[in-house]
Amino acid sequence: MANRESLNLNAEKIKELVEVFYQNLLQEQYFKDTFKARGVDLNLLKSRQQSFILALIMDDTEVNANHQQQVQTRHSFNTSPENAHIWIRVMEESMEEISLDETIRTKLLTKMRMLMKTIVRD
Ligand code: HEM
């Protein structure tokens, strides 16, 4: 239920998830290089990713065109299935690392896998 208390709890937990996720993702050479080459502002990215993930949790529609649009716009480059696999694996491991609630975990991973399809070149 998206009441104020659950929102606060989620926000804290998702902040932790995003911190751990990018720390882990940057251990992967491709992501380290890509972020560097694009001059990504990591703090800005983390704060946007945090808002985005919270929006995914709060949203009960299966496919949300706005979310798809946002992911497509910010990933004008295409990526390979291998890199997509690494991103999702690191996300799963980070969720495990912070013991994220199972229901939220499943909901997020389902949506993230769907969103990933919009930026992967087969
Ligand atoms: C291999 C897959 C992916 C790569 C290489 C990648 C890479 C990046 C990069 C480089 C940025 C920074 C963009 C910029 O400011 O220039 C970014 C931003 C972002 N990515 Fe990804 N990403 C991947 C997958 C995903 C997926 C599956 C999602 C969906 C949950 C996602 C959500 C976001 C969000 C929300 C932002 C911030 C958007 C904004 O600034 O408004 N990414 N990503």
Side-chain angles (χ1 to χ4, degrees), residues 68-122:
Q68 275 181 327
Q69 183 63 49
Q70 190 178 348
V71 168
Q72 225 156 15
T73 308
R74 297 314 295 232
H75 305 80
S76 47
F77 54 94
N78 283 335
T79 194
S80 66
E82 290 75 21
N83 292 325
H85 187 77
I86 296 173
W87 195 103
I88 294 290
R89 174 178 56 74
V90 171
M91 182 55 80
E92 281 179 316
E93 287 169 0
S94 305
M95 288 172 166
E96 179 64 29
E97 204 174 316
I98 67 151
S99 309
L100 188 67
D101 174 87
E102 285 289 345
T103 310
I104 293 180
R105 214 188 281 207
T106 308
K107 181 175 185 176
L108 281 178
L109 284 170
T110 305
K111 290 188 177 199
M112 285 167 171
R113 286 198 181 92
M114 238 152 31
L115 290 166
M116 186 64 98
K117 286 188 190 146
T118 67
I119 59 170
V120 172
R121 176 198 61 229
D122 289 314

Side-chain angles (χ1 to χ4, degrees), residues 32-49:
K32 200 174 163 186
D33 293 345
T34 300
F35 282 33
K36 193 168 175 214
R38 299 180 64 85
V40 172
D41 177 340
L42 198 57
N43 285 329
L44 188 61
L45 174 59
K46 282 182 194 169
S47 103
R48 286 181 174 166
Q49 185 64 268

